[in-house]
C-alpha cells in the first residue's frame, strides 16, 4: 500500500498538470473555439454538480419519514421505566424469599 506522502505528492503533481493544461487550453487553444467549449463544459459540470447535490438533499428530505413526536417517545420511555421497575421489584422479592 502506498504511503500517504506518495499519494499526497502524486495528487500535487496531477493537480499542477491539470491546472497548466486547463490554462493552456483556455488561453492558447490549439483549435479555434476550443476555449469556449472548455468554458461551457466547465460551467455545465459546476452547475450540474451543485444542482445534483441539491436534488440529492431534496430526495432525502422527501423520502425520510418524519421523527416521532417527543410526547410519544416520552410515553414509550415511561412504559419501559415502569416495566424495569416492576422487574426490579420482582427480583428483590425473589431474593428476599431465598434469604428467608
Amino acid at each position: 500500500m502506498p504511503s500517504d506522502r506518495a499519494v499526497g505528492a502524486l495528487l500535487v503533481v496531477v493537480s499542477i498538470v491539470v491546472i497548466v493544461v486547463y490554462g493552456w487550453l483556455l488561453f492558447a487553444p490549439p483549435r479555434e473555439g476550443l476555449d469556449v467549449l472548455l468554458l461551457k463544459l466547465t460551467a455545465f459540470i459546476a452547475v450540474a454538480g451543485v444542482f445534483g447535490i441539491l436534488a440529492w438533499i431534496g430526495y432525502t428530505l422527501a423520502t425520510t419519514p418524519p421523527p416521532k413526536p417527543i410526547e410519544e417517545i416520552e410515553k414509550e420511555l415511561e412504559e419501559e421505566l415502569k416495566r424495569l421497575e416492576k422487574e426490579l421489584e420482582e427480583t428483590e422479592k425473589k431474593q428476599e424469599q431465598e434469604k428467608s
Side-chain angles (χ1 to χ4, degrees), residues 37-80:
L37 177 65
L38 186 64
L39 286 174
K40 288 180 180 181
L41 189 62
T42 303
F44 174 76
I45 291 171
V47 169
V50 168
F51 284 100
I53 291 170
L54 285 175
W56 176 53
I57 292 170
Y59 173 79
T60 303
L61 287 172
T63 58
T64 302
K68 290 182 179 180
I70 292 187
E71 293 82 18
E72 188 175 329
I73 295 172
E74 288 175 345
K75 184 178 177 184
E76 289 176 4
L77 287 173
E78 286 176 9
E79 290 172 0
E80 183 70 18

Side-chain angles (χ1 to χ4, degrees), residues 4 8-9 16 24 26-27 46-47 53 59 73 79-80 83-84 89 92:
D4 290 343
I16 291 173
W24 171 67
L26 192 60
F27 294 109
V47 169
I53 291 170
Y59 173 79
I73 295 172
E79 290 172 0
E80 183 70 18
R83 186 184 64 78
L84 289 173
E89 287 176 6
E92 289 175 351

Side-chain angles (χ1 to χ4, degrees), residues 15-28:
S15 297
I16 291 173
V17 168
V18 168
I19 291 169
V20 169
V21 169
Y22 184 84
W24 171 67
L25 288 174
L26 192 60
F27 294 109

